Amino acid sequence: MTSSPSSTVLVPQIRGTLAHSDRIVLPQSVLEQLLSEAGRESLPSPLTFRLFNPATNAFTHCGVREFSAPESTVLVSRQIASTLGISEKQLQASSSQDGGSTAPVIEVSKCDLPKGTFVSLCPLDANYLTIDDNWKALLESALQASYTTLTEGQTFAFVNPATQDTITLLVKTLQPAKAVCIVETDLTVDITAMSEDHARKSVANRDAKRKEQNGMVAIIRKDVPVGGTFSDRSQEYLFELKAWDGSLPLIVKLEVLDAGESSERDIDARAADVYVSVDGHPSKDYFLWSTQSEEKNVISIAPSNSFLAKSEGISLAVGSCVVPLSFLLTVTQAADMAEEESTSALPPDSRQCPNCKQFYSARTFQLHSAFCERNNLVCPHPSCGRIFRRQDGISESHWHCDLDSFSCDSVSTKEKHIVTHHTSPTCICNETFPSQQHLAHHRATVCPQKLHICRFCHLRLAQESSPDSQSDLLAGYTGHESRCGTRTTECPRCNRIVRLRDLDSHMQLHELQRVSAPLPRICTNENCVRVIDDDPAAANSNSLGLCSSCFGPLYSPMHDPTGARLKGRIERRYFIQLTAGCKRHLCTNAACVTGRANSKLPKLAAGEVAPVVKELTQGGKLEFCVDDGMTRRRQLVNWIGDDNEFAKPWICKAVGEVGVGAESDDITHSEVSTRSWLAEKGVRITEAR
């Protein structure tokens, strides 16, 4: 196939999520031919092909899904068939057994496409503006799942899983070629704006849809009944419960009211059902809990239920098989139900009626049993016990299912039971189930087409099949999250490239390193806030713990084993500060005549200087003057230190990393930057070990 194209009959086929895809299915013989031509060399990945229709001179490019098609056939999506100019009539002819010569014939040839670097797309319909999620992330997910190539001038489509709208895009420009491969490449995407008419139409559709959705869902509160009346069988009432006591079971009770004027209508207590789920809007074929399988219209959900425990809200839907019909829906908790049951406890002397099987007190038992035997007729079915008036006989609409213990008094309820319990529906994922209840629970839990919010791309997408990796299953990843998590991103702290699935553990490592970091060492000069750890020259150069800037004036190359000469230089520096001063405008050092003047402290007399110098020298604290820039940094350290959130060494470290400007506005900006640095890298006092 590499040297010359091979012709095959085209048979289009749509399979699951690949209804919109450029990935085809080829015969196994094609793979064998490719391997024989490659010899010892490995096949390129991914494989790309060029499809050409000689009848219309139309062509396109595609990838391959698998090599399992029947011989002389190619299974494609209808999207590719449309691009090649193959009509619906030709498709039907090629699919039929007697299509013969009328079936379309195309040329399939292997081709090598360059990796794409840029694509310009233009939406062809108004559906794309209805996307509430990240537009480019949704597009990236759709391309990654279903497409291998793009060809300039052609269209491709994907389905928005949140709305089920099909979004069609035109490929206007590609780089570096007119046909490119989009697998494992960094592709820059540019979305060209729609026309003004299309945009206006899309906005109107979106606003109308949001208004309709907001009007459909009502808030239900615990112990507050809500009701409604059905006028159409397709009508559903949707409710949302947002607050409840997580330590008690939830009790959902549905009461059916006869909304008709006649009591002879085809209606019973099972004519309506309530459906409950924790994500999305439940329905008769999508729920976690329902009254369909309950003997009474009551659902009890234990607080230990895994779905309920991790849910922030519960969605409820009520549907009916009879119209008109009114209902009353109540959500209570188990404590309320227990109280009702305790108040309805049987008296100790009660006896059971042999006819209706109800319990009555000994005082009224004889009177009731005689009346019941004379006027009431019990259904003879062993699992029923329904009571009818003897003069009316057993109702013709009263029915017992032969396959289970269900019974009802309505033809509509009978038909509903047969549909929900004794038919074999097929899910959109092509899996068949023994009943609608099994289908509904499947769709609400493990169905590959179930919508969920991806923890990585934060889009509402199909969860796909369960991942093959055991570690992914233990981590709770869906099939989509297992694939989506392999994408990479840049760590905001260390700028390393990490996988999205590893980003949380990577950030936890940064957090562990942060709280385990040792306390920085700062200069022992009370007026300096330099960090000695950042000054290798001063870290071990002096015994005073001063930074290189503060120790510089005291340094001497002379041998001084006792430290007497160093002590003399310290006294001399104090004398200079207290007599001549440092002449700096921002100095506030109390051991400096300039600082005392700036702080409005009294000037020391000549006879007071020597005692003060002696006190400073023997006191252990060092109070040397610093430049104005360091004074401004010390002021910022003191301001932030007043919050008592971080230790002073960490604040000094942050101020040194951020720096302080020379103007007051710069100090305000530096304070914001310093607090941001501390929040990301500093260790709080409460976190210190």
Side-chain angles (χ1 to χ4, degrees):
M1 290 182 64
T2 304
S3 58
S4 61
S6 61
S7 300
T8 61
V9 177
L10 178 66
V11 179
Q13 181 169 330
I14 301 175
R15 292 187 176 182
T17 59
L18 296 182
H20 301 286
S21 175
D22 73 336
R23 295 172 184 172
I24 63 176
V25 181
L26 292 171
Q28 185 176 357
S29 59
V30 175
L31 176 60
E32 296 172 354
Q33 183 178 351
L34 291 173
L35 291 173
S36 63
E37 293 179 357
R40 295 184 178 181
E41 297 181 0
S42 59
L43 292 177
S45 178
L47 288 171
T48 52
F49 297 88
R50 183 178 186 270
L51 306 181
F52 176 69
N53 185 1
T56 60
N57 289 328
F59 70 92
T60 188
H61 297 84
C62 64
V64 62
R65 181 185 179 189
E66 57 188 32
F67 295 90
S68 60
E71 287 300 320
S72 300
T73 61
V74 181
L75 307 183
V76 303
S77 65
R78 293 186 179 273
Q79 177 178 313
I80 292 181
S82 176
T83 302
L84 295 175
I86 300 173
S87 65
E88 188 70 24
K89 184 177 180 181
Q90 289 177 301
L91 295 181
Q92 295 175 358
S94 64
S95 301
S96 62
Q97 297 181 354
D98 56 350
S101 60
T102 62
V105 176
I106 63 170
E107 296 177 355
V108 182
S109 57
K110 179 181 173 295
C111 65
D112 296 325
L113 298 179
K115 299 288 186 179
T117 58
F118 173 82
V119 59
S120 176
L121 305 174
C122 179
L124 297 183
D125 51 50
N127 288 334
Y128 90 105
L129 283 180
T130 61
I131 299 177
D132 295 327
D133 298 311
N134 186 322
W135 161 257
K136 289 193 175 182
L138 181 60
L139 176 61
E140 177 184 356
S141 176
L143 290 176
Q144 185 180 15
S146 303
Y147 289 90
T148 304
T149 68
L150 290 177
T151 305
E152 194 172 286
Q154 297 179 357
T155 62
F156 70 93
F158 64 93
V159 176
N160 179 8
T163 61
Q164 296 301 312
D165 293 331
T166 300
I167 300 170
T168 306
L169 299 170
L170 171 67
V171 181
K172 296 185 65 176
T173 307
L174 285 171
Q175 292 180 3
K178 293 189 175 182
V180 297
C181 174
I182 60 173
V183 176
E184 296 180 356
T185 181
D186 292 330
L187 189 66
T188 302
V189 179
D190 176 63
I191 306 294
T192 304
M194 297 174 60
S195 66
E196 184 176 354
D197 292 339
H198 274 179
R200 188 183 300 110
K201 178 182 177 182
S202 179
V203 170
N205 290 342
R206 180 184 60 187
D207 293 344
K209 186 172 185 179
R210 286 179 175 175
K211 183 177 180 181
E212 180 183 358
Q213 290 179 345
N214 293 337
M216 290 174 60
V217 182
I219 301 299
I220 186 172
R221 294 176 176 83
K222 190 180 70 170
D223 300 325
V224 180
V226 294
T229 301
F230 290 98
S231 58
D232 188 277
R233 291 190 179 185
S234 61
Q235 182 181 0
E236 283 188 342
Y237 282 87
L238 300 177
F239 303 94
E240 186 174 359
L241 178 67
K242 295 185 177 181
W244 66 90
D245 187 348
S247 62
L248 297 174
L250 271 177
I251 308 297
V252 181
K253 182 179 180 181
L254 178 66
E255 182 180 356
V256 174
L257 308 176
D258 191 352
E261 298 180 356
S262 172
S263 60
E264 302 298 328
R265 291 195 316 119
D266 181 33
I267 185 172
D268 63 359
R270 307 299 299 276
D273 287 301
V274 58
Y275 315 103
V276 184
S277 71
V278 295
D279 55 349
H281 292 162
S283 62
K284 64 182 180 180
D285 55 0
Y286 183 97
F287 59 78
L288 291 172
W289 306 279
S290 171
T291 55
Q292 286 183 355
S293 58
E294 303 293 337
E295 294 184 2
K296 299 181 179 179
N297 283 356
V298 178
I299 302 174
S300 178
I301 308 175
S304 59
N305 188 283
S306 59
F307 294 105
L308 186 64
K310 61 185 179 181
S311 172
E312 297 180 356
I314 295 178
S315 298
L316 305 95
V318 181
S320 172
C321 64
V322 179
V323 291
L325 180 141
S326 296
F327 70 90
L328 200 62
L329 180 66
T330 309
V331 178
T332 60
Q333 301 244 236
D336 302 331
M337 298 295 292
E339 182 178 353
E340 291 180 7
E341 292 177 359
S342 63
T343 58
S344 59
L346 296 174
D349 61 343
S350 61
R351 296 176 60 185
Q352 185 180 28
C353 175
N355 188 48
C356 66
K357 307 302 180 183
Q358 301 296 316
F359 286 87
Y360 295 89
S361 64
R363 183 176 58 86
T364 60
F365 176 76
Q366 292 295 339
L367 182 63
H368 165 77
S369 60
F371 176 84
C372 185
E373 183 68 27
R374 184 172 60 252
N375 295 281
N376 293 335
L377 181 64
V378 181
C379 175
H381 196 279
S383 63
C384 181
R386 175 69 189 277
I387 305 299
F388 297 91
R389 290 184 2 176
R390 188 174 295 276
Q391 64 181 19
D392 296 333
I394 298 178
S395 173
E396 294 181 358
S397 60
H398 184 67
W399 174 78
H400 290 273
C401 181
D402 297 331
L403 302 176
D404 55 32
S405 59
F406 181 83
S407 63
C408 64
D409 298 311
S410 166
V411 175
S412 299
T413 306
K414 169 186 174 181
E415 295 173 351
K416 183 194 72 172
H417 175 79
I418 294 175
V419 171
T420 58
H421 288 71
H422 305 302
T423 57
S424 300
T426 301
C427 181
I428 54 177
C429 66
N430 296 326
E431 187 173 352
T432 303
F433 296 89
S435 70
Q436 193 176 65
Q437 293 184 86
H438 291 83
L439 168 65
H441 193 270
H442 163 80
R443 290 192 59 196
T445 53
V446 298
C447 178
Q449 298 303 313
K450 177 182 180 269
L451 298 181
H452 79 309
I453 298 178
C454 174
R455 69 183 74 183
F456 301 120
C457 64
H458 308 292
L459 298 175
R460 189 172 175 83
L461 301 167
Q463 64 181 6
E464 302 178 7
S465 301
S466 299
D468 297 329
S469 171
Q470 296 297 325
S471 60
D472 289 354
L473 291 174
L474 291 175
Y477 293 154
T478 63
H480 167 80
E481 290 174 335
S482 177
R483 176 174 52 82
C484 187
T486 59
R487 295 185 297 121
T488 59
T489 187
E490 186 178 272
C491 173
R493 291 193 181 182
C494 64
N495 297 327
R496 289 181 57 187
I497 301 300
V498 296
R499 296 188 303 177
L500 289 176
R501 61 187 305 166
D502 300 330
L503 184 59
D504 285 344
S505 58
H506 181 79
M507 297 304 293
Q508 289 176 5
L509 179 60
H510 280 302
E511 191 68 11
L512 180 61
Q513 293 175 343
R514 181 186 68 82
V515 299
S516 303
L519 191 69
R521 292 186 300 162
I522 60 175
C523 180
T524 54
N525 182 5
E526 294 293 320
N527 299 308
C528 180
V529 293
R530 289 188 180 92
V531 179
I532 298 180
D533 298 334
D534 299 336
D535 190 358
N540 299 307
S541 63
N542 64 89
S543 59
L544 298 177
L546 294 171
C547 65
S548 57
S549 297
C550 293
F551 185 72
L554 304 176
Y555 173 75
S556 175
M558 298 179 62
H559 184 58
D560 185 18
T562 62
R565 295 178 182 276
L566 176 61
K567 183 178 179 181
R569 290 191 295 272
I570 293 175
E571 292 177 349
R572 188 180 309 114
R573 183 169 180 179
Y574 277 137
F575 268 110
I576 295 174
Q577 289 182 181
L578 290 171
T579 55
C582 65
K583 304 297 188 297
R584 294 188 174 95
H585 298 291
L586 299 180
C587 180
T588 58
N589 186 7
C592 173
V593 66
T594 304
R596 296 180 70 87
N598 292 338
S599 302
K600 296 182 171 47
L601 296 175
K603 183 178 180 181
L604 297 177
E608 298 176 331
V609 173
V612 172
V613 170
K614 182 178 180 180
E615 180 182 354
L616 289 171
T617 306
Q618 298 177 351
K621 294 197 304 183
L622 300 174
E623 300 183 36
F624 300 139
C625 290
V626 294
D627 56 52
D628 288 346
M630 182 56 61
T631 302
R632 296 169 68 86
R633 290 169 63 176
R634 179 168 55 85
Q635 291 174 349
L636 180 56
V637 169
N638 293 335
W639 291 344
I640 298 177
D642 291 339
D643 296 341
N644 199 30
E645 184 179 1
F646 294 91
K648 181 179 178 180
W650 279 112
I651 304 176
C652 296
K653 175 80 171 177
V655 171
E657 293 288 338
V658 173
V660 180
E663 302 295 335
S664 59
D665 292 343
D666 294 334
I667 293 181
T668 303
H669 180 269
S670 298
E671 180 181 1
V672 175
S673 301
T674 302
R675 292 185 183 276
S676 299
W677 189 98
L678 286 170
E680 180 179 344
K681 301 179 181 179
V683 179
R684 293 174 174 81
I685 295 176
T686 56
E687 297 173 332
R689 298 180 178 180

